[in-house]
Amino acid sequence: MEEDEEEDYMSDLFIKQDVRPGLPMVRRVKEAIQKEEKQKEANEKNRQKSIKEEEKERRDLVLQSALGNENRGFALLQKMGYKSGQALGKSGEGIVEPIPLNIKTGRSGLGHEELKKRKAEEKLENYRQKLHMKKKANEQAADQFRVRFKNKQEERKMEGDLRKSQRACQQLDMQKDINVPKETWYWLEPEEEDKDDEDKEDECTSSDLSVSEKLHILTAYLREKHFYCIWCGTTYEDPEDLSSNCPGDSAADHD
């Protein structure tokens, strides 16, 4: 008898059983989800609706139903020849469906939504203006930086040209046995002769003249006294040779 009650592991019933790993767990999860959904549906049915919800349901039900003969306005329209589903107007160009109702459910006063909309638009416009002003300020700062950088480059170039003119003036003066410069800043100071051009940021503090003024005066002296142009790097024979072969008396003329 005990042998008959034991399971036959070679029978078809045992072989057809689904023994995939994790399957019982999946089945239990599905059953739990279904049970939870049924419980939610039951709670929803048993839940007592609020007054607002009941009013909304009754209102929607009435709005969805067509007007009948018991409605006085509809009855008057029918007496004037109106038929259900017909557009209003003498030639039938009017509306077919009634104007929908916009039910106000909030507690705010009339015009409050328009005020909120206007404030939101003003806030957005102020934000856009701030972005525009910030962008403009950044562009102005970038332009000012470029101008300062360009001016600094031009100033350094003029300083280099001035030192170049001072060296040339000293050499040409000494070739003509001029041992004392016309002005002290016409020549480089002795301690500056062995320095590189990049290491010299300030020169000739003995005069109140600016670098550009000194450069203009010194180049004019070199042209008049020695017929020399620092931008050409050439000493001409006479004033006529200088004026006919040299493009001009400034760096811009030689660009």
Side-chain angles (χ1 to χ4, degrees):
M1 189 67 178
E2 293 178 357
E3 293 179 357
D4 296 338
E5 292 179 356
E6 291 181 358
E7 294 182 355
D8 186 3
Y9 294 103
M10 299 300 293
S11 65
D12 294 338
L13 293 175
F14 187 80
I15 295 174
K16 290 180 180 179
Q17 291 181 0
D18 196 344
V19 292
R20 286 177 293 177
L23 188 63
M25 178 63 70
V26 174
R27 187 180 295 111
R28 285 196 295 271
V29 171
K30 287 183 178 179
E31 292 176 354
I33 293 173
Q34 292 175 357
K35 185 177 180 180
E36 185 178 355
E37 290 178 353
K38 290 180 180 179
Q39 185 65 33
K40 286 183 179 179
E41 291 177 0
N43 293 338
E44 187 67 23
K45 290 180 180 179
N46 297 328
R47 185 177 66 87
Q48 185 177 3
K49 297 181 180 179
S50 63
I51 297 176
K52 288 185 178 180
E53 290 176 341
E54 293 178 355
E55 290 178 352
K56 185 177 184 301
E57 288 182 357
R58 290 196 299 268
R59 183 172 59 249
D60 293 342
L61 182 62
V62 172
L63 293 175
Q64 290 174 2
S65 60
L67 295 176
N69 295 330
E70 69 279 1
N71 185 279
R72 294 186 178 181
F74 187 71
L76 290 173
L77 286 174
Q78 284 182 324
K79 288 180 179 181
M80 290 186 289
Y82 176 78
K83 295 180 180 180
S84 181
Q86 180 182 355
L88 297 178
K90 185 176 181 180
S91 57
E93 72 279 1
I95 61 174
V96 179
E97 297 294 333
I99 298 174
L101 295 176
N102 293 323
I103 306 300
K104 186 176 181 303
T105 58
R107 301 182 63 182
S108 58
L110 295 176
H112 181 70
E113 295 298 328
E114 292 294 330
L115 179 62
K116 285 176 62 178
K117 183 178 178 181
R118 186 168 66 252
K119 286 184 177 180
E121 291 176 353
E122 292 176 356
K123 186 176 180 181
L124 179 60
E125 183 64 23
N126 292 335
Y127 177 72
R128 289 175 178 172
Q129 289 181 359
K130 287 181 180 179
L131 286 181
H132 179 70
M133 293 175 63
K134 185 177 181 180
K135 182 180 178 182
K136 191 174 180 180
N138 291 336
E139 291 176 353
Q140 291 178 351
D143 292 340
Q144 292 175 358
F145 173 78
R146 283 191 289 268
V147 170
R148 289 196 303 269
F149 184 75
K150 183 178 179 181
N151 293 338
K152 190 67 175 178
Q153 283 185 321
E154 292 177 352
E155 184 178 355
R156 289 179 178 176
K157 187 176 183 300
M158 285 191 295
E159 290 173 355
D161 290 341
L162 178 60
R163 288 190 291 271
K164 182 178 177 181
S165 301
Q166 288 172 324
R167 291 193 186 96
C169 181
Q170 184 175 1
Q171 292 175 2
L172 294 172
D173 283 349
M174 294 181 69
Q175 288 176 5
K176 291 186 176 182
D177 296 330
I178 300 175
N179 297 323
V180 178
K182 184 177 180 180
E183 297 287 343
T184 56
W185 56 267
Y186 274 32
W187 293 4
L188 285 174
E189 296 181 6
E191 61 271 13
E192 291 184 342
E193 293 181 358
D194 297 333
K195 292 183 181 180
D196 296 333
D197 293 343
E198 296 179 356
D199 296 335
K200 299 174 182 179
E201 297 182 357
D202 300 322
E203 73 282 327
C204 305
T205 57
S206 59
S207 175
D208 294 334
L209 297 173
S210 64
V211 175
S212 60
E213 291 173 337
K214 290 180 179 180
L215 180 62
H216 178 71
I217 294 172
L218 187 54
T219 52
Y221 171 79
L222 291 173
R223 295 173 70 88
E224 294 173 1
K225 184 71 175 179
H226 304 289
F227 314 124
Y228 178 76
C229 175
I230 63 166
W231 295 288
C232 295
T234 304
T235 301
Y236 295 92
E237 296 180 357
D238 49 43
E240 290 76 12
D241 186 23
L242 175 64
S243 59
S244 59
N245 294 315
C246 181
D249 58 354
S250 65
D253 298 329
H254 292 77
D255 291 340

